[in-house]
Amino acid sequence: MPSMTNPPQISLFDSATPRVFTLPPAVSFLDSLAHALLSELDRPETPFALSDTIILLPTKRAARALGQAFLDARGGAATLLPRIRTIGDLDPDDAGLAELREAIDAIPAINPLARRLTLAKLIRARDKQADWSDDPVAALNAADALAELLDSAAMTASGDEPFDWSALDTLVEDADLATHWEHSTKFLQIVTRAWPAYLDHLNRVDPGVAQRRGIESLIQTWRQQPPRGAVILAGSTGSLPVTRALMACVARLPQGAVVLPGLDMSLADDDWTAARHDDQHPQRAMAEALETIGISRADVRLWPNAAESTSLRQRRVVLNEALTPQESTADWPSRIAEITPDNIALGLNGLCLVEAATEEEEASVIALELRETLQENGQTAALVTPDSNIARRVAAKLARWNIAIDISAGQPLSDTVIGAFVRLVARWACDPADPILLSSLLGHPLTSLGHDREAIRAWASCLEISLLRGARKDKTLEDLLTRAYALSPKEWKATGGDEVVASDTIALIEKLSQAINRIGQMSGTLDVMAKAVIALCESLATTPTQRGAEILWRGEAGDSAAQFFGGLIEHGADFDPIPLQHVARTLECLMAGAVVRPRGTHPRLAILGPLEARLLRFDKVVLAGLDEGVWPKPPPPDPFLSRTMRAKLGLPSIDSRIGLSAHDFAQLASAPKVVMTRAARRKDSPAVMSRWLWRLKTLTRGALGETGAATALSAPQGWRDRLRHNEPTRTFETRLAIPEPRPPVAARPTEFSATQIETWIRDPYRIYVEKILNLRALDPLGGPPGASERGTAIHAGTEIIADWYKAHPQDPCEALRQALRLHMSKAGYVGAALAAEMIRLEPSIAWLARHEMDRLEAGWYPRAEQWGDMVLETKAGPVKLKAKSDRIDVGPLGVEVIDFKSGEPATASQVKSMLAPQLPVTALIVARGGFKGVAAQTPNNISHIRLGGRSFGVVEAVHKDTNVEDLIADVEAKIARLFADYAEPDWPYRSKPRVQFIKKTTYEDATDRLARRAEWANVEDET
């Protein structure tokens, strides 16, 4: 590597090594860095000193921002910028570091996806051997934890020597730990021996090893032959051992310097010593860094011209004091007296706290704060949070004001249109006949199947209404196609389709079936699965003018999706085959880490993570999500090693992340204007205030008292009023009037079935909706069969009894059993659910078979599921009554009307009061000769037969308190009176006037929403 014999010296590097500086958090880190380096390096006598300088920063965003800071400091004038790079991305192919190739170039790292899949394969093998579950998703998640463990070990080791895992052999016995940890350590012994051998075979190393070795090679090269220009390592806290070693090297270079962010120079010596051993202390990492460099805190100097205002200096003192080790808080009274309450109050100036009620309210406040910043000329603002949910909520709320803002962490690929389409296709391919998945797929904007979207939408609507609504009935698309062919033109027309639409809908199902059959088997190794999903997606997305590939793999999201699938195809062959039921879950798990990076950012607003925002400066900073579990976020559990085991092995503590997070919080809370936010409830559960916020409030109360603390950390004045003013709200100045429609008499119905008469009495508004507006509620889409489907299947199964009088079955129980099984399966009961229902029905089957055979032998002949009707003359005109009887039995004692019930039958009092008029209306039609083949006569008995429950058999006759003739006369008179009432022009159709007698059904829920009951009645909308 070339070097200068006598490199020019500059004043910044005149001091003795090691050179370590710090910048207080209240100072703009990158601006100060740029100004000082320009002042020291950009001189006529050293024209290339600035361009020869290498600056190492922790993040790419900071590197980009520093480049802009240099340009701003020069007033936009052309400048040869330093070589600004990130510590973890020292790529030898980077043109700016070409001369470092020999130092950095080494054995390449294994592809992260290939490593994840191979580790997951090992974990699946272990789970199979231990007779545990063979869940590929669980294996992939465990592989992530194992990869993190390997990287942690790699970054802890040094040189070419691998991490020493030998202590695993006696770890459990020494620690006297639980048995399950013993299984874990045995597995780790296999991995730590087999995995390095596998990597050696591939001539690859772990990514952590590659990164560490690259930095160690760079350190060795710089020690032997220092670079010709200046080297500045800035903004890193030195959380990793190899980073601390690089700091020690750079600090001793002839023109080298380390700049630490926010080193606490005022912390008491005892507290500083304690911080060195407290994993959760914000200064822990820098304390270790100084120890590695070999200097004390007193040797650290302030970066040139790093002046901060008095109030912000006091802010830093207050924040550092609030985040001191817990054991040091006993000295807070004396520390408060030393700092003085006035200085604490001064430090809190510009710092406020908003405690919102919910996550939604918190996001609304943040969006409003960011929006109001744009109203101030040239002001900048940033939302900083580790919670992606908060970030997405705020971005969505800003979009309502046409403020487009990117989230620095990127958008998850799974949340994009193409990502959602891929996930949906994978789920549907595993179960093509699932009504919900099928309807969702056809409703997705990318699904075209070679047709126009409008045509697909029309056919999908017809398919959904005619075949997919209600309980699921089809296992495969072939079953669905069979049912589609069986529908009559009348049934298609009832769903809004004609013969052409019916034919096109059937063709649509056939196309879907062909698409599934064309791709072959979905399950298999990951590369096979990926190719199948790609082929299916492209087939479904093809339009009349474009191929699916031209539509899907374009744009930022399309590029990200293409790279994702390319990785699966390249590295997925070695992953064990995936069972079909796990294909969709596995794909979603793998896709979870893929993101679509934003390419454009708002010029004055930003949504950042804490690490990205650490070195940046904004006029206003919103720190959101200050609740335990959000910020700080607890470290993920290690499924392989406990905290004690990690310590014995010499691995870094997982709690150190909390200390780094605390440091970021202290840095960010030192901005000129800071709004801290939290929510009292998160995910419908009470939230606990962040420990940092709690300690800050406790310190403030101790210094200023309850009233003073409330004032010092008060929320922005009038924030709730401003929120209400800017947020769209739904309010009613007056109570909503109860709907009482009064349609013209000519439009009112004059024909009712027996069940509609019951609805007419219980909920007249439903009759208005159903018979006047001609609206009907759709059944739920797919799902398991419910009580309605069960009752219909039982009724249909018992129809077989009507044929027994022609030919007595040899085994009536088996005949009835087979009939019920057939209709239960048609209703959607399959597998275990069907078996369970048949077990429940078995006692009823045995009883009913005996009961019906006895009646046949006694001369009773049943007529099942027969329609009858009659015209009832009233003063208001004729009204037609209809009824479909479950059974009308004709025998030696006359006629009996029987109604089968799978649930609770109506009581005699309900029948008499017309709250359950179905049987009396049927009996009335029988008495008037309305049923074909049944002579006009008053039934001698009307009763219920209950089936399918614990109690079964003939229920007590509904006319026990009166005779059948009087019951029929009474129902006839009441119907005539009811019809006369509704023939009056001013008689309204009210919503559930007798609410205490209402039966809960899906349909009634739909009419409730139409009637807006939740807005005027004391009820809740449960949908």
Side-chain angles (χ1 to χ4, degrees):
M1 180 183 302
S3 64
M4 296 181 63
T5 306
N6 296 303
Q9 295 294 314
I10 52 179
S11 59
L12 184 65
F13 305 111
D14 286 345
S15 61
T17 61
R19 299 184 196 89
V20 180
F21 299 87
T22 186
L23 270 165
V27 175
S28 178
F29 190 97
L30 299 179
D31 289 334
S32 297
L33 195 66
H35 278 91
L37 290 177
L38 280 173
S39 175
E40 296 290 345
L41 300 176
D42 193 20
R43 298 178 178 180
E45 64 270 22
T46 56
F48 300 106
L50 183 63
S51 60
D52 287 341
T53 298
I54 297 174
I55 302 177
L56 302 177
L57 295 173
T59 65
K60 291 182 179 180
R61 181 176 287 270
R64 292 193 298 269
L66 180 59
Q68 185 62 46
F70 275 108
L71 295 176
D72 293 342
R74 288 291 303 271
T79 304
L80 290 175
L81 295 178
R83 289 172 289 176
I84 306 171
R85 303 293 178 262
T86 58
I87 298 172
D89 190 25
L90 297 175
D91 186 355
D93 292 326
D94 190 319
L97 295 176
E99 75 274 19
L100 303 180
R101 174 179 294 279
E102 292 182 2
I104 300 175
D105 219 356
I107 300 174
I110 187 173
N111 180 276
L113 177 60
R115 178 174 71 159
R116 185 186 189 191
L117 296 179
T118 305
L119 292 176
K121 182 178 180 180
L122 290 172
I123 292 170
R124 288 183 74 187
R126 176 200 67 169
D127 292 348
K128 288 181 181 178
Q129 186 178 16
D131 199 23
W132 296 344
S133 70
D134 181 25
D135 185 355
V137 174
L140 286 168
N141 291 332
D144 292 337
L146 185 55
E148 187 173 352
L149 179 62
L150 290 171
D151 283 342
S152 180
M155 299 303 285
T156 304
S158 61
D160 293 330
E161 293 296 324
F163 183 80
D164 184 9
W165 293 97
S166 60
L168 280 172
D169 296 330
T170 58
L171 188 62
V172 174
E173 291 82 350
D174 290 347
D176 191 25
L177 299 172
T179 305
H180 70 276
W181 288 120
E182 184 176 356
H183 293 303
S184 178
T185 55
K186 287 181 179 178
F187 172 70
L188 286 178
Q189 288 173 349
I190 298 173
V191 171
T192 54
R193 293 167 186 168
W195 181 247
Y198 175 75
L199 291 177
D200 289 341
H201 172 71
L202 297 177
N203 193 32
R204 293 290 186 271
V205 294
D206 280 311
V209 173
Q211 181 182 354
R212 173 176 57 80
R213 287 180 179 176
I215 295 177
E216 287 175 341
S217 298
L218 184 63
I219 293 171
Q220 184 178 2
T221 300
W222 277 353
R223 283 175 177 170
Q224 296 173 355
Q225 196 172 17
R228 58 176 297 186
V231 179
I232 309 295
L233 194 159
S236 174
T237 59
S239 59
L240 296 175
V242 69
T243 307
R244 295 195 288 270
L246 180 60
M247 285 179 168
C249 171
V250 171
R252 288 176 169 81
L253 292 176
Q255 295 187 79
V258 172
V259 186
L260 298 175
L263 180 69
D264 188 356
M265 305 294 289
S266 63
L267 193 64
D269 291 339
D270 291 342
D271 293 340
W272 177 258
T273 302
R276 173 65 181 81
H277 304 287
D278 185 352
D279 292 327
Q280 299 186 22
H281 196 282
Q283 299 287 315
R284 162 70 186 270
M286 288 185 290
E288 286 187 315
L290 294 182
E291 184 177 305
T292 302
I293 295 172
I295 62 174
S296 67
R297 192 170 39 138
D299 297 322
V300 179
R301 291 178 292 163
L302 194 65
W303 186 254
N305 300 318
E308 55 185 341
S309 66
T310 302
S311 62
L312 291 182
R313 183 170 59 252
Q314 292 302 324
R315 170 92 59 82
R316 172 167 53 86
V317 172
V318 171
L319 289 171
N320 288 339
E321 188 62 39
L323 299 179
T324 52
Q326 186 174 356
E327 55 271 15
S328 301
T329 56
D331 194 36
W332 264 3
S334 61
R335 289 289 298 153
I336 289 172
E338 183 179 341
I339 300 171
T340 74
D342 289 342
N343 282 332
I344 290 177
L346 178 63
L348 295 176
N349 184 32
L351 187 68
C352 63
L353 171 63
V354 175
E355 298 191 71
T358 64
E359 296 171 281
E360 185 70 13
E361 186 176 68
E362 180 186 24
S364 297
V365 172
I366 297 168
L368 186 59
E369 287 287 336
L370 297 181
R371 180 196 182 196
E372 290 179 346
T373 301
L374 297 181
Q375 298 172 359
E376 302 175 23
N377 187 29
Q379 293 290 292
T380 60
L383 162 62
V384 183
T385 178
D387 191 336
S388 59
N389 291 326
I390 296 176
R392 284 195 291 268
R393 282 177 185 265
V394 173
K397 288 182 176 295
L398 288 171
R400 294 182 316 175
W401 293 314
N402 295 320
I403 301 174
I405 184 169
D406 293 320
I407 301 173
S408 65
Q411 182 184 15
L413 175 61
S414 57
D415 290 348
T416 63
V417 174
I418 174 63
F421 182 65
V422 168
R423 291 190 296 117
L424 182 56
V425 169
R427 291 180 186 177
W428 171 74
C430 295
D431 190 4
D434 182 277
I436 296 176
L437 294 177
L438 182 53
S439 181
S440 300
L441 180 70
L442 294 175
H444 195 280
L446 288 178
T447 303
S448 295
L449 284 162
H451 298 278
D452 292 327
R453 276 299 305 157
E454 290 300 321
I456 291 290
R457 188 176 293 112
W459 301 336
S461 176
C462 183
L463 172 64
E464 177 185 317
I465 296 173
S466 59
L467 293 168
L468 301 182
R469 288 285 172 176
R472 178 176 178 174
K473 301 176 179 65
D474 310 299
K475 292 183 180 179
T476 64
L477 285 178
E478 286 70 22
D479 296 338
L480 179 63
L481 198 58
T482 300
R483 282 204 304 125
Y485 276 120
L487 284 183
S488 65
K490 183 179 179 180
E491 289 172 312
W492 282 110
K493 189 174 182 180
T495 61
D498 54 22
E499 292 185 8
V500 175
V501 172
S503 176
D504 290 337
T505 303
I506 292 174
L508 177 64
I509 303 174
E510 291 174 339
K511 273 204 165 188
L512 291 169
S513 182
Q514 292 168 4
I516 284 289
N517 294 333
R518 193 182 307 119
I519 66 169
Q521 182 58 257
M522 273 291 296
S523 59
T525 55
L526 277 175
D527 59 326
V528 173
M529 180 196 76
K531 291 175 182 177
V533 172
I534 290 173
L536 187 55
C537 288
E538 292 180 351
S539 173
L540 294 171
T542 297
T543 69
T545 58
Q546 284 184 296
R547 295 183 297 111
E550 298 172 342
I551 297 173
L552 295 176
W553 320 120
R554 64 183 183 185
E556 296 177 14
D559 290 344
S560 181
Q563 293 175 10
F564 167 72
F565 277 112
L568 293 185
I569 293 173
E570 181 179 359
H571 303 291
D574 292 335
F575 197 64
D576 291 338
I578 304 169
L580 182 62
Q581 65 269 25
H582 293 310
V583 165
R585 293 176 56 245
T586 303
L587 186 69
E588 291 178 15
C589 177
L590 290 165
M591 192 185 290
V595 296
V596 180
R597 297 293 180 186
R599 294 183 181 175
T601 57
H602 195 283
R604 292 167 57 196
L605 299 180
I607 299 180
L608 305 170
L611 178 60
E612 289 182 302
R614 179 195 294 169
L615 304 183
L616 307 181
R617 182 58 60 196
F618 300 89
D619 296 306
K620 180 193 292 184
V621 176
V622 181
L623 306 181
L626 286 168
D627 290 301
E628 286 295 308
V630 180
W631 201 4
K633 185 177 182 179
D638 187 338
F640 299 101
L641 295 173
S642 67
R643 281 177 166 82
T644 304
M645 295 165 71
R646 290 180 67 96
K648 286 183 174 293
L649 285 170
L651 291 169
S653 170
I654 59 176
D655 290 328
S656 59
R657 298 180 185 180
I658 297 179
L660 296 174
S661 187
H663 175 266
D664 290 337
F665 169 74
Q667 286 281 111
L668 296 164
S670 298
K673 186 175 182 181
V674 179
V675 179
M676 302 179 294
T677 70
R678 64 173 300 262
R681 296 185 68 83
R682 293 193 182 277
K683 297 180 180 179
D684 296 327
S685 299
V688 178
M689 182 184 299
S690 168
R691 65 192 71 179
W692 308 322
L693 197 54
W694 180 86
R695 290 164 70 82
L696 180 61
K697 292 184 72 174
T698 302
L699 175 67
T700 306
R701 283 196 298 268
L704 307 178
E706 290 289 346
T707 303
T711 302
L713 288 174
S714 61
Q717 187 174 7
W719 68 272
R720 289 191 186 277
D721 293 334
R722 289 188 291 124
L723 195 62
R724 281 192 292 268
H725 177 73
N726 285 276
E727 283 286 299
T729 56
R730 189 183 182 200
T731 59
F732 298 99
E733 296 297 329
T734 59
R735 184 179 176 86
L736 186 70
I738 299 176
E740 293 184 337
R742 295 173 173 84
V745 174
R748 302 191 181 195
T750 59
E751 181 178 318
F752 298 91
S753 67
T755 53
Q756 287 173 340
I757 292 173
E758 178 177 342
T759 304
W760 197 12
I761 295 169
R762 291 177 180 267
D763 187 6
Y765 189 81
R766 179 180 165 186
I767 292 295
Y768 168 74
V769 169
E770 187 179 53
K771 298 186 73 66
I772 299 176
L773 299 182
N774 292 319
L775 300 177
R776 66 184 182 93
L778 293 174
D779 291 327
L781 188 62
S788 176
E789 288 81 9
R790 182 173 183 269
T792 301
I794 291 175
H795 279 75
T798 56
E799 290 184 36
I800 191 176
I801 297 173
D803 295 329
W804 285 2
Y805 75 97
K806 298 177 182 177
H808 290 207
Q810 293 182 350
D811 188 348
C813 279
E814 182 60 23
L816 184 57
R817 186 179 300 112
Q818 291 300 328
L820 286 170
R821 181 184 296 276
L822 173 64
H823 288 284
M824 293 294 283
S825 62
K826 287 183 178 180
Y829 288 95
V830 295
L834 176 60
E837 286 299 329
M838 293 308 298
I839 291 174
R840 290 178 60 191
L841 285 170
E842 192 59 37
S844 298
I845 291 172
W847 174 85
L848 185 60
R850 290 194 305 269
H851 174 76
E852 293 300 329
M853 293 304 294
D854 290 344
R855 287 178 64 83
L856 286 174
E857 292 175 0
W860 290 98
Y861 297 99
R863 297 173 181 271
E865 300 293 327
Q866 185 175 343
W867 276 100
D869 60 72
M870 63 167 286
V871 175
L872 178 64
E873 295 293 341
T874 71
K875 293 180 180 179
V879 55
K880 185 176 181 180
L881 304 180
K882 299 188 301 181
K884 185 179 183 181
S885 66
D886 286 350
R887 282 270 295 278
I888 298 177
D889 288 7
V890 180
L893 300 180
V895 176
E896 290 188 358
V897 178
I898 299 171
D899 186 31
F900 288 105
K901 289 293 183 184
S902 58
E904 191 68 30
T907 64
S909 60
Q910 288 175 329
V911 172
K912 187 176 181 180
S913 64
M914 288 288 286
L915 289 173
Q918 184 176 357
L919 271 178
V921 170
T922 304
L924 172 62
I925 297 173
V926 171
R928 299 297 182 265
F931 283 91
K932 187 177 180 180
V934 180
Q937 57 184 306
T938 300
N940 66 301
N941 182 49
I942 54 177
S943 61
H944 293 106
I945 289 181
R946 186 174 183 180
L947 301 174
R950 292 183 178 180
S951 58
F952 50 85
V954 179
V955 182
E956 188 176 36
V958 299
H959 54 86
K960 65 173 185 175
D961 297 330
T962 184
N963 59 58
V964 177
E965 189 171 352
D966 291 342
L967 185 61
I968 290 175
D970 185 53
V971 74
E972 184 176 13
K974 288 179 177 177
I975 292 175
R977 187 163 58 250
L978 187 65
F979 185 71
D981 289 341
Y982 279 90
E984 295 291 332
D986 291 333
W987 197 275
Y989 287 82
R990 294 189 174 93
S991 173
K992 297 180 179 178
R994 303 171 183 83
V995 69
Q996 67 271 30
F997 301 118
I998 290 300
K999 294 187 294 185
K1000 190 79 169 177
T1001 68
T1002 302
Y1003 195 105
E1004 289 171 357
D1005 289 343
T1007 55
D1008 279 352
R1009 291 195 296 276
L1010 199 60
R1012 299 169 70 173
R1013 282 188 64 86
E1015 298 175 26
W1016 53 264
N1018 188 24
V1019 296
E1020 295 182 359
D1021 188 350
E1022 298 181 357
T1023 58

